Amino acid sequence: MEKLVLILLATVIASCTSNTSIFGGRCSKQDPNVDACLLRSFNSLIEYMKGGAPELGIEESEPIVIDELSIALGGGPDGYRATFKDIHATGASNMTITNVRSDLETHQFQLTLFGPHISARARYRSSGVLLLVRASGGGDYWGEYEGVKAKVYFRGVPYERKGRTYLKLQQLKLDFNVKDIQMGVENLHNGNPVLQAALNLFINTNAQELLKEMKPELKRDLAEKMSRFLDRILEQIPYDDWIVD
């Protein structure tokens, strides 16, 4: 009941407050440095959203939860396969936008982001042969990702609602890379120290290749999550609250 009262109170406060405060001010299409203005505005939005924004229907941003990812290395019956479930990632809320490129005539935006550190934890199961050791089993996965860079591209379509202009998200794409990766497995179900040592040696020696195998599924899942998140923001906050002619 107390939580409900707080949410209702936040909603009332938000209804009396201009959404421009969320963006840190409007940006003019006529400004030759409009991208620098948008950079400040988007970072202001990120800072505002860190702890969640119940008045906009936005929950706390962390942890990011991904249900499942799979990788496959090598073919045949002994090819190595691994599935990661219940992935919980933290640290993404510390990412900042370092560059913005926009085409306001076509409502297209490209954001470059940087995050110093992201941590991930998951449960995993694997099968096949790895470094001449049969790697069938399961346990806990951990990963520490340093120097995460991402690019997010999105395009919107303007529409009118109650006398205001809004954007409807039409397309979103993203890509990312990681400078340094440390990851490994622990608490193996069969308690085999030889297998755990082999897995951790392989994982850390081939960390970038393993991330490359994970990227297609990871990009799809993150793009879906980001699209839902951005769609909700664009639905709640009028476009003319952050862009003016």
Side-chain angles (χ1 to χ4, degrees), residues 218-244:
L218 193 53
K219 284 166 59 174
R220 278 195 301 270
D221 193 284
L222 291 174
E224 288 175 6
K225 284 179 166 55
M226 187 168 289
S227 293
R228 291 196 298 269
F229 176 80
L230 186 55
D231 219 9
R232 195 174 302 163
I233 291 174
L234 295 176
E235 184 182 3
Q236 296 290 331
I237 302 176
Y239 181 63
D240 52 25
D241 254 348
W242 49 292
I243 297 291
V244 295

Side-chain angles (χ1 to χ4, degrees), residues 90-109:
T90 58
S93 65
N94 292 323
M95 297 189 78
T96 56
I97 300 172
T98 59
N99 190 55
V100 173
R101 295 178 62 187
S102 67
D103 184 338
L104 298 180
E105 295 301 320
T106 57
H107 308 95
Q108 297 182 72
F109 304 86

Side-chain angles (χ1 to χ4, degrees), residues 48 54 77 215:
Y48 184 88
K215 274 184 88 169

Side-chain angles (χ1 to χ4, degrees), residues 5-20:
V5 171
L6 289 173
I7 291 174
L8 290 172
L9 180 60
T11 303
V12 171
I13 293 172
S15 66
C16 299
T17 306
S18 172
N19 286 322
T20 42

Side-chain angles (χ1 to χ4, degrees), residues 32-231:
N33 297 312
V34 65
D35 286 346
C37 179
L38 287 170
L39 176 64
R40 294 189 296 272
S41 294
F42 283 127
N43 275 318
S44 177
L45 175 66
I46 287 177
E47 189 65 30
Y48 184 88
M49 296 291 176
K50 275 186 179 180
E55 71 278 14
L56 299 177
I58 304 296
E59 297 178 355
E60 191 170 354
S61 57
E62 293 202 353
I64 295 173
V65 179
I66 298 173
D67 294 333
E68 183 174 312
L69 288 175
S70 298
I71 59 173
L73 303 173
D78 288 332
Y80 179 70
R81 307 285 186 275
T83 300
F84 303 84
K85 294 187 175 183
D86 299 328
I87 303 165
H88 284 62
T90 58
S93 65
N94 292 323
M95 297 189 78
T96 56
I97 300 172
T98 59
N99 190 55
V100 173
R101 295 178 62 187
S102 67
D103 184 338
L104 298 180
E105 295 301 320
T106 57
H107 308 95
Q108 297 182 72
F109 304 86
Q110 181 177 285
L111 314 180
T112 303
L113 300 95
F114 175 77
H117 182 89
I118 292 178
S119 298
R121 298 293 183 269
R123 294 184 296 108
Y124 90 97
R125 290 199 65 81
S126 64
S127 62
V129 174
L130 192 63
L131 299 179
L132 304 179
V133 178
R134 181 152 292 280
S136 298
D140 298 324
Y141 164 86
W142 59 269
E144 304 294 338
Y145 306 88
E146 304 282 345
V148 181
K149 292 183 179 180
K151 284 196 174 181
V152 177
Y153 161 85
F154 70 93
R155 182 173 69 233
V157 177
Y159 69 98
E160 299 296 318
R161 191 176 84 221
K162 296 181 179 179
R164 304 294 301 273
T165 300
Y166 290 80
L167 277 190
K168 175 69 177 176
L169 183 64
Q170 187 175 57
Q171 183 184 25
L172 184 145
K173 297 187 291 186
L174 64 84
D175 198 6
F176 66 90
N177 60 69
V178 182
K179 183 179 180 182
D180 294 308
I181 307 172
Q182 289 186 327
M183 52 187 180
V185 295
E186 57 192 11
N187 302 323
L188 298 190
H189 295 166
N190 56 15
N192 186 336
V194 175
L195 174 58
Q196 180 164 314
L199 283 169
N200 284 324
L201 174 63
F202 177 82
I203 286 170
N204 278 295
T205 304
N206 299 277
Q208 291 289 351
E209 286 301 312
L210 290 173
L211 180 62
K212 185 179 178 180
E213 289 293 322
M214 294 179 181
K215 274 184 88 169
E217 285 189 61
L218 193 53
K219 284 166 59 174
R220 278 195 301 270
D221 193 284
L222 291 174
E224 288 175 6
K225 284 179 166 55
M226 187 168 289
S227 293
R228 291 196 298 269
F229 176 80
L230 186 55
D231 219 9

